[in-house]
């Protein structure tokens, strides 16, 4: 059989005193909230965000993840092409500098546009 703690009956006056203390503290907190001059520091949680803001954040996160995945796949394909054709980074940099120097390739122009 488990031991059960027997609680002493709380005196009605004690209950009333505790209730009045809580009521007074609550009333004081409300007065401080209403007072524009009060510098009462109320602890608050994080700001509440709307459902639309959360959905927008999800969309942005997904777009960012997709972009990172596309960049990773591009790098992987690019490195595979370089190794397939036996071109190292130095040779590639030299080719790009030559094309730019001769005006055969513009740095900020996307091919096919």
């Amino acid at each position: 059989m488990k031991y059960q703690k027997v609680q002493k009956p709380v005196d009605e006056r004690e209950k009333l005193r505790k209730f009045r203390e809580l009521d007074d503290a609550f009333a004081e907190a409300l007065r401080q909230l209403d007072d524009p001059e009060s510098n009462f520091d109320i602890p608050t949680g994080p700001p509440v965000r709307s459902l639309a803001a959360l959905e927008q954040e999800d969309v942005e996160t997904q777009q960012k993840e997709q972009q990172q995945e596309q960049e990773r796949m591009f790098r992987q394909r690019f490195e595979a092409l370089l190794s397939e054709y036996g071109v190292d980074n130095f040779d590639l940099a030299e080719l790009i500098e030559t094309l730019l120097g001769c005006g055969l390739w513009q740095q900020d122009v996307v091919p096919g546009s």
Side-chain angles (χ1 to χ4, degrees):
M1 187 173 206
K2 291 186 177 182
Y3 172 75
Q4 292 182 352
K5 184 176 179 181
V6 178
Q7 294 182 347
K8 292 189 280 182
V10 180
D11 183 351
E12 289 299 318
R13 287 184 186 172
E14 185 64 20
K15 285 182 182 177
L16 188 57
R17 185 188 62 78
K18 286 182 179 181
F19 176 78
R20 284 186 183 143
E21 285 178 3
L22 283 172
D23 188 49
D24 290 345
F26 184 69
E28 179 63 25
L30 287 175
R31 280 192 295 274
Q32 288 179 348
L33 283 174
D34 289 337
D35 183 11
E37 300 297 319
S38 175
N39 59 354
F40 187 61
D41 187 25
I42 302 169
T44 59
V48 177
R49 296 181 295 175
S50 69
L51 184 57
L54 291 172
E55 289 173 349
Q56 179 65 29
E57 186 177 296
D58 286 345
V59 168
E60 290 171 359
T61 302
Q62 287 177 347
Q63 288 174 344
K64 191 175 189 179
E65 289 172 356
Q66 287 175 345
Q67 183 179 4
Q68 289 173 345
E69 179 63 18
Q70 287 175 344
E71 289 173 4
R72 186 191 65 76
M73 290 175 64
F74 173 80
R75 254 184 270 114
Q76 188 178 21
R77 289 191 311 252
F78 184 71
E79 290 170 5
L81 281 171
L82 289 179
S83 77
E84 181 180 335
Y85 288 99
V87 177
D88 64 9
N89 289 342
F90 177 76
D91 291 338
L92 180 62
E94 189 175 340
L95 174 63
I96 292 171
E97 287 176 12
T98 303
L99 290 172
L100 286 171
C102 295
L104 299 173
W105 188 24
Q106 295 178 355
Q107 196 168 3
D108 294 331
V109 176
V110 177
S113 60

